[in-house]
Amino acid sequence: MRFILVPGAGGQAWDWHRLVPLLGDAVAVQLPAGDDTAGLGEYADAIVAAGTDPGPVVVVGHSMGGLSAPLVCDRLDVRRLVLLNAMIPAPGESGGQWWEGSGHSRVDIGELDEAERYFHDLPPALRAEALVRPEPEQSGTPFAEPWPLASWPEVETQVLAGAEDRLFPVDFQRRLARERLGLEVQVVPGGHMAALSRPEELAAALLN
């Protein structure tokens, strides 16, 4: 089974580079995040382009990837859709509206800088590398568009929540998954960037 790994805001395939070799057959998608002309349709096109090899796939959407990953379930042979510390949209809700609609705007996530919010649990050398990389650009275009599906795809869905996620705390993810999908979350080690901080444990959850 091939894994297609969809990054979050900033669209960087680099976010998956420690996980890819552990999955056997996997490709990390580079999204057109810095392109103001690219919306959710173009993000879906990029995901589909990464899945050109025939056969069944598992699509993993991280963070903002929860908006675009479900859009390809009618275009690829998707056997499982995995949400990793992901936004779970409602039909017609834009990414910009999601923060209020999901209740995240009422979650106390504290006052932390980017390093402490996203990279607090990375190994020191990798954390240093992440912090010196150019800050990824993220256009607001896909956040302005209503989520286009009328309902969640009829595909097996797995929700993974990082135990130490400081952006989307586990209790928030648990409530959101129950309310919007009727699913329970599987808690995995690591923070928001679990694919960087705990790739071995994440691979085990994906391959199980």
Side-chain angles (χ1 to χ4, degrees), residues 16-37:
W16 302 103
H17 78 276
R18 299 188 75 202
L19 180 66
V20 166
L22 303 178
L23 294 177
D25 186 2
V27 58
V29 181
Q30 185 76 29
L31 295 174
D35 183 354
D36 284 334
T37 69

Side-chain angles (χ1 to χ4, degrees), residues 2 4 27 29 43-53 72 75-76:
R2 188 175 213 207
I4 300 177
V27 58
V29 181
Y43 283 43
D45 290 344
I47 299 168
V48 170
T52 52
D53 291 347
V72 306
R75 300 173 63 184
L76 297 172

Side-chain angles (χ1 to χ4, degrees), residues 84-85 160-165 168-170 173 186-192 194:
L84 171 63
N85 296 327
L160 302 180
E164 298 140 28
D165 192 336
F168 299 157
V170 170
Q173 293 196 57
Q186 178 181 345
V187 179
V188 295
H192 194 67

Side-chain angles (χ1 to χ4, degrees), residues 7-13 15 30-34 43 64 136-139 143:
Q12 297 191 100
D15 295 345
Q30 185 76 29
L31 295 174
Y43 283 43
M64 182 193 172
E137 296 181 15
Q138 177 57 60
S139 167
F143 282 101

Side-chain angles (χ1 to χ4, degrees), residues 5-12 15-16 31-35 38-44 47 60-71 82-89 94-96 98-99 118 137-145 147 152 165 167-168 173 192-193:
L5 308 174
V6 183
Q12 297 191 100
D15 295 345
W16 302 103
L31 295 174
D35 183 354
L40 291 174
E42 286 72 26
Y43 283 43
I47 299 168
V60 184
H62 171 242
S63 196
M64 182 193 172
L67 303 181
S68 56
L71 305 183
V82 182
L83 302 174
L84 171 63
N85 296 327
M87 300 171 74
I88 302 175
S94 71
W98 179 88
W99 304 93
Y118 297 104
E137 296 181 15
Q138 177 57 60
S139 167
T141 300
F143 282 101
E145 299 177 347
W147 195 64
W152 196 256
D165 192 336
L167 180 64
F168 299 157
Q173 293 196 57
H192 194 67
M193 307 298 291

Side-chain angles (χ1 to χ4, degrees), residues 18 119-132 196-197:
R18 299 188 75 202
F119 304 134
H120 62 96
D121 60 333
L122 269 62
L126 185 62
R127 174 172 165 152
E129 181 182 353
L131 291 175
V132 299
L196 285 173
S197 64

